[in-house]
Every structure is written in C-alpha cells, then in structure tokens.
Amino acid sequence: MRLRTLPAAAALAALFSSVVLAVPASADSSTPLPVWGAADTVVDGVHQRVFISDTYDSQIVVTDLTGKVVAQLTGLPQVRDLELSPDSGTLYAAVYGADKIVAIDTGQLTQTAAYPTGDHTIPSRLAYADGKLWFGYGDQWDSGLGEVDLTAQTPTVTLDLAAGHDFASPPMLYADPDNPGTLLALDGGISSGPIVVYDISSGTPAIRVSADKGGFYHDAALTPDGQNVVVAGPGGRALTEYRLSDLSEVRTFPTVSAPETVSVAPDGTVAATVLDTDDVGDTYVFGTDPAQPASVRNLSHSWMPGGGHSTSWSADGSRLFVLTGSSDAMQFQTVDAPRKYAATLTVDAPSTATRATSLTVKGKLTANLALPAGTPLRVTRTDLESPNGTSLGTKYLGAGGAYSFTDTPPAGGKVTYKVTYAGDATHTAATASDTVSVSRATPTLTLDNNGKVYGYAQSVTFTAHLGTTYKNRTVEIWANPYGADQPDTLVKSGTVNSSGNLSVTLTLKRKTKLTAKFAGDARYAPKTATSTVGTKVKVSTALGGSYTTRSVWNHTYYYFHQSKDPVVTTTMTPYPGRTQLLQVQVYSGGVWQTTAKQYFTLDSAGKSVVTLTGTPPTGYRFRVRDSYISGSGDSVNTTTYGSWKYFTFTS
C-alpha cells in the first residue's frame, strides 16, 4: 500500500544506484496499462519493476519503470493489497476472492506459497512488520486484524488480534522497520473511525494510542523514519501528517479538492493526487519546507481514480509514478522531475496581421513558485522564408510573469512565434507557440480557352499566365477529364517564361477541366485559375440495303426498293452506358419534318445497328442522322450531331 525502500533492501539498492544514476533521465511519459482499476501499487527498486493489483481483472500487472508491461499474473480473484518483503525477494498479495494470501517470487514472477486465512475471511489489507505479515480482513463490522507468522517453521495464521477495537471495515495497515514494534491501522470505513497505533513488540498487538481523525481515510503513507503518517482524507481538503507517538497533528498540506492517494519519498517529499473535478491540477508534490508552495501538475483531464493506492515514488525518490484513468483505459504516468515546479507558458499573438507591419506578441510564464522578472525566454519565428525558424533573440519576463515583444513579419502566410523557457534548478522547461495569418498580395493568374468546344482527339494548347510575384515563378497545370475513371493529373509544371506564360498541349477526348495553380510565396498568396472546355465525340452513320446512290437535290441520296428496310449502323466513341439519338425526317411542304426520334444503346465497341421498318411511300425524300446528346446516357463529352444521310424509296 506504499512505496518505500526498506532498510534490508537498501544495501542491495545501493549496488544498483550507480548504474541507475548513470542512465540519463527520460522525458515525462504516459504509457497505456491493461488495468481496469488499480487497488494497490508497489515499486521493487531491486528488480526495477512496478507491481499493480487489478481487482476487476483478478490479476497483478508487472511493468518496468516506464510502464511497459513485463508480465500479467492472473488467476488471483479480486486481488487487493500488495506488500514487498524487506529483501525485495517476495511480493505478498491479499487474494480477497480466494480467502488467502499468496507469496510471489519477484525475480521469477512465480507463486511460491499460499496462506489460507479461513473461509469467508476475504483478506484485503497487508503490512509486513517484525517478521510477520499482518492483514486486515472481513467486511463492514465483521472485520478484524490477523497475522501470518513467517518466522515459524510452518507459517501459521492467527485471527482476531484487534485488541478490543471493533473495526467498521478491514483496517488499512502500515509499518516501517525504522520504527519496530509498531503497527498502524486506519479504520477508514466510517466517519467516526479512528487511527489506531498498535504496539506489537510482544508479538501480541496492544493499542498504544487511538484518536478519531474523521474517518473515511482514502490512503496513507509513513514518513521515511516510520515515526509519522500522512493521511489522505477525510473531507474535501484534508491531507494531514500525524505523529504516531500521540497522533498529534504535525503538518497540513493544502489541496484544492479531495485527496485520493499519497506517497512519501525517502527524503520526506510528499506526493498526492486529488479528485480534480475542475481539471485545474491533479498531482501535488510538497517539499520538506512548509513555507514553500506545492508543485502542481495536471496529468489527466479526467477525474483521478479513487479507492486504491495509485501514486508511488521510485525507490531512489527521483521519479514519481501516477496511475490515471479507469475502465481498461488507465495510463502509467512517469514524472521525471517531480520536485521541480511545473512552469506554464502561454503565447498570444494576433490572429491576423499585415505583412511588413509591426505586431505585438504577449504571454505569461507562471508556476506555483513565481519566476522573477528578468527571466530569459528564447523566441523563434517560423515562416515561408524561414521554414526551419529564425531566432528573434532573448526576451525577458516583466512583472507578474508577463512578457511582450514586437516584431515586423517580413513574410506573409502562416507565421509561428515559438517561445521557450529553458527551466532552472527549481522549474521545469516550457514551450508554447501561436500562429498569425499574415496577409499577402493577390497575384494575377489566368488560363485560356475557357468555354470553348473542340473536336474529338483535337490537339489544343493551353496557356497559363502569371503576373507579378516575389520569388516563386512556378506554375502547375492540372487536367481533370470528365468521368470517375480518369483522375485529376498534373500535366505540366515549370517556371513561366519572361512573359509570365507556361503552356501545355493536350489531345482532348472528353470534356476537361484544367486548373492552373500557383503555390504562392512569402509575399503573394496562392492562386488558382480554371478553364473548362468541351470535347465532341467521333460519330459516323452508314446506310445499308440500298440498290444505288445518286447525286440529286444537292446531296447524295441512297435509293431503296420499297420492299427493302434500310439498316442504319452507327459508330461512335465508346463509353460505358452511352446512347445515341437516331432521328428520321421527311421533306414535306417545303420543310424537313421529324417523323421518328429514339435513343439506342451502343455496345462496348461504340456501335448500334437499327433497322427502319414499315411501308414507306415512294417518291418522298428522307434523311437520318445519329447524335450524341450529353446527359442522355453519360456526360463526359459535349453534345455532337452527326451528318445527315439522305435516302428515298422506289417501287
């Protein structure tokens, strides 16, 4: 239920300390955990591991010191408290749902022993003291204090050792070898639940001192000498240190909302998390000097998890591990410099500005321990002229952590001002930026031939013209033929000539939208120009079945016997689903009059064959044509009318 280095493990930890300290500290990190809800967290400084009990998934998740999962020890129904042996060789776990305590080898990560505590005892709390494993068990008023005597040749379990105190819920237990003969129990399940200090020097617990401190304790941690305890709860703002000898109050630690979990580093630094319903700061670190404010960080934008011990120091006290989130979305947060005050930096630049005109950038650098006026800040500007950033030199904090500076942006477009505070011995580094949209002139860009119609497969030259710009003289020309099967394609890219022109010649087979693009430069904005042109289809009509042709009435006429049906064969540029319009006219009363008009579907080769049936009159002049009408079956070409074919009938 706590994170500390026990004296027996200190010698072993010392063997590794030079190696650990030689490794450069990494940046603060967050790693996802396969944990639904953490009941307890224990750090093994010897094996460089963290053990997390997950009651909901009945497992212990083992990670390295970055939160990377090393193993998942399953089959531990509703596992609760964890306790590390003095030599860090064994991890004890209270298996609530199996009425037992198990021992796990921390090197091999295998179970080595099990200590049944009795039917329906449901052990949930653990503490190691004076060679015995003490445990809190039971439920509500049917709760008690028990022990597993690990010094016996065959470890034995003894219940009902509360020395007359009637616990409202299983007692939260704490002990430290630096204060032998002492066991601390918190009766946290009721508002009137006291803090109880037991004398266990005789082997049988006896109440040394007891005091009501408000009950409903969420978590607690002993100070490094084992003489005091820091308790999270009760109430909304209670984080309090008590002396175990008489349970008198030593110090309070101010927080803005209800403390959830607490841990004390080997040097006495106190870390705690709070519920943080207002998302203003969830992790507090208090130094040993009560006159100094807490360092506050906001590691999560959700409420902090409660009901378990989820804040722990590394064994050497250099890092802080905090679990955030819940419901299979927990995160293992590592704070590498927890004693430093978290600096918050803001940058406020205008949203828009005019190029080559002065603008003002301002902001603040704040921390719980205020930074003095004159604190240096490094400023860089990134723009189209300086994509890798250019230094604007050092600016300095004014009164109240505020700063401001002016700049005249030489380039338009997106201009970013980045402000960096390097940090110091007591403050973390901080970086922030803001972006200004700086105006640029609008260039002239045109593309010719818009609205024109061309024949099928005709070669057409398109010319883009770019007016005055600053440095960029490159233009792209894109062609997008109608139809989903042909994508927008870059057909020309290059530098315009001395007249500002760039041309490309295309063979057109469909309607086509062309786009000229200028990407812009530091002083002129991007610009596009479009030109949409039409393209006709290729269409031909053949008449079959005539017995002769003659040039009469200024046209070539096909002659058919009245008994012969003319066959009209259409050939047209193919396209899926394309149709052709067949139109028949007769010359009557001095004008051509339509007698039949109908759409026919072309085959995949672009052909259709239509037979004109019936008993036509002889001596009349007829004509027929095939046309493509855009929108009748498709729209990828421009409406194209075929040539008339003239014919007549004889008897």
Side-chain angles (χ1 to χ4, degrees):
M1 300 192 306
R2 55 205 165 281
L3 189 64
R4 53 186 170 77
T5 304
L6 299 175
L12 289 173
L15 295 176
F16 295 91
S17 61
S18 60
V19 178
V20 174
L21 294 175
V23 179
S26 60
D28 291 355
S29 62
S30 179
T31 304
L33 278 177
V35 173
W36 274 81
D40 197 8
T41 306
V42 168
V43 174
D44 178 358
V46 173
H47 298 96
Q48 300 288 285
R49 288 173 176 167
V50 180
F51 296 91
I52 304 164
S53 61
D54 183 356
T55 298
Y56 294 99
D57 277 344
S58 297
Q59 64 173 340
I60 297 174
V61 176
V62 187
T63 75
D64 63 15
L65 298 186
T66 69
K68 180 182 178 181
V69 174
V70 174
Q72 290 174 257
L73 311 180
T74 59
L76 301 168
Q78 298 174 273
V79 60
R80 300 290 179 89
D81 257 14
L82 306 175
E83 181 75 352
L84 198 62
S85 66
D87 62 359
S88 296
T90 303
L91 178 75
Y92 299 100
V95 186
Y96 180 92
D99 296 324
K100 65 182 179 180
I101 298 168
V102 299
I104 297 168
D105 185 298
T106 52
Q108 301 300 317
L109 299 180
T110 56
Q111 183 175 318
T112 58
Y115 310 109
T117 55
D119 291 344
H120 309 298
T121 50
I122 49 177
S124 57
R125 301 288 187 170
L126 294 178
Y128 184 96
D130 295 3
K132 296 181 179 180
L133 194 62
W134 302 87
F135 62 94
Y137 64 91
D139 183 31
Q140 296 185 4
W141 289 104
D142 188 19
S143 298
L145 174 65
E147 69 168 17
V148 180
D149 187 355
L150 301 175
T151 64
Q153 186 173 0
T154 301
T156 57
V157 174
T158 305
L159 303 178
D160 300 322
L161 297 175
H165 180 71
D166 189 9
F167 284 102
S169 61
M172 304 160 62
L173 302 177
Y174 304 87
D176 193 298
D178 285 343
N179 189 6
T182 302
L183 177 67
L184 176 66
L186 276 63
D187 195 352
I190 192 171
S191 61
S192 59
I195 297 176
V196 181
V197 181
Y198 284 100
D199 183 343
I200 57 171
S201 58
S202 68
T204 301
I207 296 177
R208 181 183 297 158
V209 61
S210 176
D212 182 358
K213 299 298 183 180
F216 293 131
Y217 314 110
H218 296 160
D219 194 17
L222 294 173
T223 55
D225 59 5
Q227 300 296 318
N228 295 356
V229 63
V230 181
V231 179
R237 303 177 189 276
L239 185 65
T240 310
E241 181 178 346
Y242 300 102
R243 186 177 294 108
L244 295 193
S245 60
D246 57 7
L247 292 180
S248 60
E249 183 177 304
V250 176
R251 179 182 172 186
T252 59
F253 303 84
T255 62
V256 299
S257 63
E260 294 293 332
T261 183
V262 63
S263 184
V264 182
D267 67 352
T269 304
V270 174
T273 61
V274 301
L275 190 59
D276 194 26
T277 56
D278 295 326
D279 196 25
V280 295
D282 51 44
T283 303
Y284 286 67
V285 176
F286 298 89
T288 55
D289 183 357
Q292 294 297 318
S295 169
V296 181
R297 286 173 171 77
N298 201 19
L299 300 181
S300 171
H301 296 295
S302 300
W303 292 10
M304 293 296 277
H309 178 76
S310 55
T311 301
S312 302
W313 289 93
S314 62
D316 63 2
S318 64
R319 283 177 285 177
L320 184 65
F321 307 127
V322 180
L323 307 186
T324 62
S326 60
S327 302
D328 206 24
M330 297 201 81
Q331 296 285 320
F332 186 102
Q333 310 274 2
T334 302
V335 182
D336 275 346
R339 292 168 182 79
K340 286 191 175 185
Y341 290 90
T344 300
L345 182 63
T346 64
V347 180
D348 182 16
S351 59
T352 60
T354 302
R355 193 193 67 80
T357 300
S358 179
L359 57 81
T360 299
V361 179
K362 57 186 178 180
K364 280 193 170 185
L365 177 62
T366 58
N368 263 24
L369 182 65
L371 288 142
T375 297
L377 304 172
R378 188 173 70 252
V379 179
T380 58
R381 180 188 63 222
T382 303
D383 54 29
L384 292 172
E385 288 279 81
S386 305
N388 295 323
T390 184
S391 174
L392 300 185
T394 301
K395 313 300 177 182
Y396 299 94
L397 281 188
Y403 69 88
S404 68
F405 61 88
T406 59
D407 183 53
T408 301
K414 179 181 177 181
V415 177
T416 300
Y417 292 94
K418 179 181 177 182
V419 181
T420 300
Y421 167 59
D424 59 25
T426 55
H427 294 86
T428 62
T431 299
S433 62
D434 198 9
T435 300
V436 185
S437 179
V438 178
S439 64
R440 287 183 281 179
T442 302
T444 298
L445 182 65
T446 60
L447 186 60
D448 63 0
N449 297 330
N450 184 48
K452 294 181 180 180
V453 176
Y454 298 97
Y456 181 80
Q458 182 175 345
S459 293
V460 179
T461 299
F462 295 87
T463 299
H465 175 76
L466 178 65
T468 301
T469 60
Y470 176 47
K471 289 184 177 180
N472 184 14
R473 301 296 291 165
T474 299
V475 170
E476 295 179 348
I477 300 177
W478 293 71
N480 190 6
Y482 277 40
D485 59 326
Q486 294 192 13
D488 197 12
T489 303
L490 177 64
V491 293
K492 187 69 174 286
S493 177
T495 302
V496 297
N497 62 20
S498 59
S499 299
N501 296 329
L502 181 72
S503 299
V504 64
T505 300
L506 301 177
T507 300
L508 301 178
K509 295 185 178 181
R510 298 184 185 183
K511 293 179 188 176
T512 303
K513 178 181 179 181
L514 290 99
T515 303
K517 298 180 181 180
F518 168 64
D521 57 29
R523 298 185 182 180
Y524 284 82
K527 187 71 181 293
T528 62
T530 61
S531 176
T532 301
V533 296
T535 303
K536 295 181 178 181
V537 299
K538 184 167 62 175
V539 56
S540 64
T541 304
L543 280 176
S546 65
Y547 65 86
T548 190
T549 59
R550 295 175 187 173
S551 181
V552 292
W553 298 300
N554 297 320
H555 293 286
T556 297
Y557 273 76
Y558 292 81
Y559 281 75
F560 290 86
H561 292 296
Q562 191 180 35
S563 60
K564 184 67 173 179
D565 294 332
V567 177
V568 183
T569 300
T570 306
T571 302
M572 189 178 291
T573 306
Y575 188 80
R578 176 160 287 179
T579 62
Q580 61 98 354
L581 176 65
L582 187 145
Q583 184 179 12
V584 180
Q585 292 186 339
V586 63
Y587 191 79
S588 177
V591 295
W592 287 100
Q593 301 180 34
T594 298
T595 61
K597 184 167 63 173
Q598 186 174 340
Y599 285 97
F600 294 93
T601 300
L602 301 169
D603 64 17
S604 60
K607 288 190 176 183
S608 75
V609 179
V610 179
T611 301
L612 304 180
T613 60
T615 307
T618 60
Y620 280 82
R621 293 152 58 186
F622 294 89
R623 67 181 183 179
V624 62
R625 74 174 178 186
D626 301 296
S627 302
Y628 166 77
I629 308 300
S630 182
S632 60
D634 66 87
S635 302
V636 302
N637 286 89
T638 302
T639 294
T640 308
Y641 295 99
S643 300
W644 291 103
K645 294 292 184 180
Y646 295 84
F647 61 98
T648 188
F649 292 92
T650 59
S651 56

